[in-house]
Amino acid sequence: MSEVSMDNAVEILHTLDIPIFRISPEGHTQFLNINCADLYRVDPVKIESLHFSEWLDAEASGELHRFTSGAFKKNPKLEYQVKISFDREEPMHIRWTVVAFFDLKENIRFFQIHGNDITEIVNREQLVKHHSQQFKWTFDNSPVPLWREDFSEVVNLIDSLKADGITDFDTYLQENPELVRETSRRVRILDVNRATLDAFGYQSKEEILGESSEAFCEETLETFRLDMIAIA
């Protein structure tokens, strides 16, 4: 790439809305656009020619070093996630796309890195994970027998019956008790808690997970029929 085309490329990078910076194969900073300077809270003039480890925080610097020290021999473009702290009270999570540019002799000329701020996405995922863990603990330790079941096959059957013109499911299911029994076998147990195992005399979840037909006796089939009506 000629000096003129390089200058044009840099001017274009300055106009982009995404944070972009370049480093040499040795790790020295060659360029940052204004969005990158804002994101990483650095002065592009002051850090020019500095090694990236001198202005990126330790975690981000370590990740960048790991990927620029050999990983590009197999793949000239890599994406990964880093956490940027600096002087922020809460760290930012950035998804980096690192592209290696080669010369005619297939030597790396420079690395170009652009980042997207995914902090909100990561925080949301962490919150969901936290709530899931809380739910799991409450589920497992409840003194009341609790089940988690998959009714998707039941829903599919009911949709099929609707397509055949069935509208009065209360009457239809009363007149077809075998259908209720057969449909109950389509329910799959996904999880149970300790209280459920104790109530049914099971030693482990493996004994009950899977098809739940064994769990529906004549008394509970009526409850299941009402469940089918509610789904319909």
Side-chain angles (χ1 to χ4, degrees):
M1 185 179 291
S2 68
E3 292 300 323
V4 174
S5 59
M6 282 284 289
D7 290 341
N8 290 340
V10 168
E11 288 185 16
I12 292 173
L13 293 178
H14 270 301
T15 66
L16 298 179
D17 291 333
I18 56 176
I20 293 180
F21 67 94
R22 284 181 181 175
I23 59 173
S24 69
E26 297 74 32
H28 295 104
T29 310
Q30 296 179 334
F31 164 82
L32 290 90
N33 70 357
I34 188 62
N35 293 292
C36 191
D38 291 341
L39 178 63
Y40 301 111
R41 296 186 178 179
V42 292
D43 183 341
V45 175
K46 291 182 178 180
I47 69 169
E48 186 176 349
S49 79
L50 289 180
H51 193 273
F52 63 77
S53 62
E54 297 181 77
W55 60 271
L56 281 175
D57 65 4
E59 181 173 347
S61 177
E63 284 296 304
L64 187 55
H65 175 73
R66 184 163 66 91
F67 279 92
T68 56
S69 59
F72 287 94
K73 293 179 180 179
K74 296 183 179 180
N75 189 348
K77 178 179 179 179
L78 296 171
E79 293 189 359
Y80 55 102
Q81 182 177 319
V82 296
K83 185 168 63 176
I84 306 292
S85 297
F86 292 113
D87 58 346
R88 297 177 173 87
E89 293 183 4
E90 297 293 335
M92 294 182 66
H93 296 269
I94 310 295
R95 178 175 289 119
W96 269 349
T97 300
V98 185
V99 181
F101 287 80
F102 298 83
D103 61 23
L104 295 178
K105 295 182 179 181
E106 297 186 352
N107 297 314
I108 295 178
R109 187 169 184 179
F110 59 83
F111 297 101
Q112 186 163 291
I113 301 99
H114 72 77
N116 293 315
D117 184 358
I118 58 170
T119 304
E120 185 176 342
I121 296 173
V122 172
N123 289 343
R124 188 162 55 242
E125 290 175 347
Q126 291 175 343
L127 184 61
V128 170
K129 182 179 180 180
H130 174 69
H131 286 166
S132 297
Q133 291 172 339
Q134 283 188 321
F135 169 81
K136 179 63 176 172
W137 187 93
T138 303
F139 177 88
D140 288 338
N141 293 279
S142 172
V144 179
L146 297 174
W147 303 26
R148 229 170 25 92
E149 299 173 317
D150 179 2
F151 269 67
S152 58
E153 288 297 318
V154 179
V155 173
N156 291 339
L157 175 66
I158 289 175
D159 288 343
S160 177
L161 293 174
K162 288 180 177 179
D164 290 339
I166 304 300
T167 56
D168 186 355
F169 278 85
D170 190 359
T171 301
Y172 182 81
L173 295 177
Q174 284 188 33
E175 295 174 349
N176 295 274
E178 281 303 315
L179 177 64
V180 177
R181 184 174 289 103
E182 173 61 28
T183 305
S184 73
R185 298 190 178 99
R186 302 191 181 197
V187 178
R188 301 190 67 83
I189 297 177
L190 301 178
D191 199 5
V192 297
N193 66 355
R194 182 73 249 176
T196 300
L197 298 180
D198 294 340
F200 286 88
Y202 292 104
Q203 297 301 313
S204 67
K205 292 184 179 183
E206 287 69 24
E207 297 179 62
I208 193 172
L209 296 183
E211 295 186 4
S212 63
S213 57
E214 296 296 328
F216 288 102
C217 58
E218 292 300 324
E219 291 78 7
T220 56
L221 279 174
E222 173 58 20
T223 300
F224 180 71
R225 186 185 73 86
L226 296 176
D227 289 339
M228 292 181 66
I229 295 172
I231 293 173

